[in-house]
Amino acid sequence: MNTQFDDLSALLHRLEVPISASEAHGLLSGLLSAQPSATAKRVWLAELLEAAEIAPGTLSDKATDVKALDTWFSAVLESLHDANLNYNPLLPEDDTETAVRTRALADFCAGFCYGVGLGTASRGNKPLPADTTELLNDFIEIDSSASDSIDSVDESALLELSEYVRVGVLLIHEELQPVSQTESGVH
């Protein structure tokens, strides 16, 4: 059982956020790739709470769930910086129908592209590296073609696409947020 996916889905449902867990994870991953983590956290939470139409005055009623989002944010940040490259797009469990998982991967790609767009816009929309631009275009294509071919994607194609997206996110993150030698412990 993919408890991360189920837990985030339940959390978003309780907060009445009208986006999927995969899209929320993609959004956060894109923001973390394009902005400093403190800014990404603020923007991500604002996007989710705005989508849920939670009035600022009622936020205290949902403090436990907002704290859970904060904890979840930290886990995603850590996974993006994992030295063993254990980061993965958040998708439903492998025994879930292929069509559902394909739609979730498309949602992740849409959220990721939106997150990178938000993050780079706040940095003045400087040109992106060529590899990043190519990968983002591929992610947009995955999102747009998923609806057309959702029933025709087989398990091996989905696994291949998922791995492509996983590695692409890590590459984009490294290109937009390179690890400095002092951060990596090299002196």
Side-chain angles (χ1 to χ4, degrees):
M1 181 174 199
N2 187 344
T3 58
Q4 283 187 340
F5 182 86
D6 294 337
D7 290 349
L8 183 60
S9 293
L11 178 59
L12 295 173
H13 180 73
R14 283 193 309 272
L15 288 168
E16 299 178 24
V17 176
I19 64 173
S20 71
S22 296
E23 187 175 354
H25 184 239
L27 173 62
L28 176 54
S29 299
L31 285 165
L32 284 168
S33 294
Q35 297 182 319
S37 61
T39 304
K41 179 192 275 188
R42 182 182 46 74
V43 172
W44 183 64
L45 289 171
E47 285 288 319
L48 294 181
L49 298 176
E50 183 178 310
E53 298 178 1
I54 296 175
T58 64
L59 199 53
S60 62
D61 298 342
K62 301 181 183 290
T64 301
D65 288 335
V66 173
K67 178 141 178 61
L69 284 176
D70 185 58
T71 300
W72 202 79
F73 170 90
S74 297
V76 173
L77 177 61
E78 184 178 314
S79 73
L80 273 170
H81 293 125
D82 182 80
N84 295 320
L85 307 175
N86 287 326
Y87 173 88
N88 282 297
L90 190 63
L91 303 176
E93 186 64 37
D94 289 345
D95 62 359
T96 305
E97 291 179 39
T98 304
V100 172
R101 291 182 14 246
T102 301
R103 180 71 255 156
L105 182 62
D107 288 348
F108 175 88
C109 289
F112 185 83
C113 292
Y114 181 61
V116 169
L118 282 175
T120 57
S122 70
R123 295 181 355 181
N125 282 326
K126 295 177 184 163
L128 296 172
D131 288 340
T132 293
T133 301
E134 182 178 336
L135 284 163
L136 289 172
N137 286 333
D138 289 347
F139 289 5
I140 291 167
E141 183 62 31
I142 290 168
D143 176 41
S144 65
S145 65
S147 297
D148 299 335
S149 61
I150 202 159
D151 293 326
S152 64
V153 174
D154 66 13
E155 185 68 25
S156 64
L158 177 59
L159 290 173
E160 203 173 296
L161 272 176
S162 296
E163 180 64 8
Y164 179 77
V165 169
R166 182 187 83 78
V167 172
V169 167
L170 292 170
L171 177 73
I172 291 169
H173 182 60
E174 179 60 27
E175 283 192 333
L176 298 180
Q177 299 283 347
V179 176
S180 71
Q181 288 186 337
T182 57
E183 287 177 28
S184 64
V186 177
H187 299 282

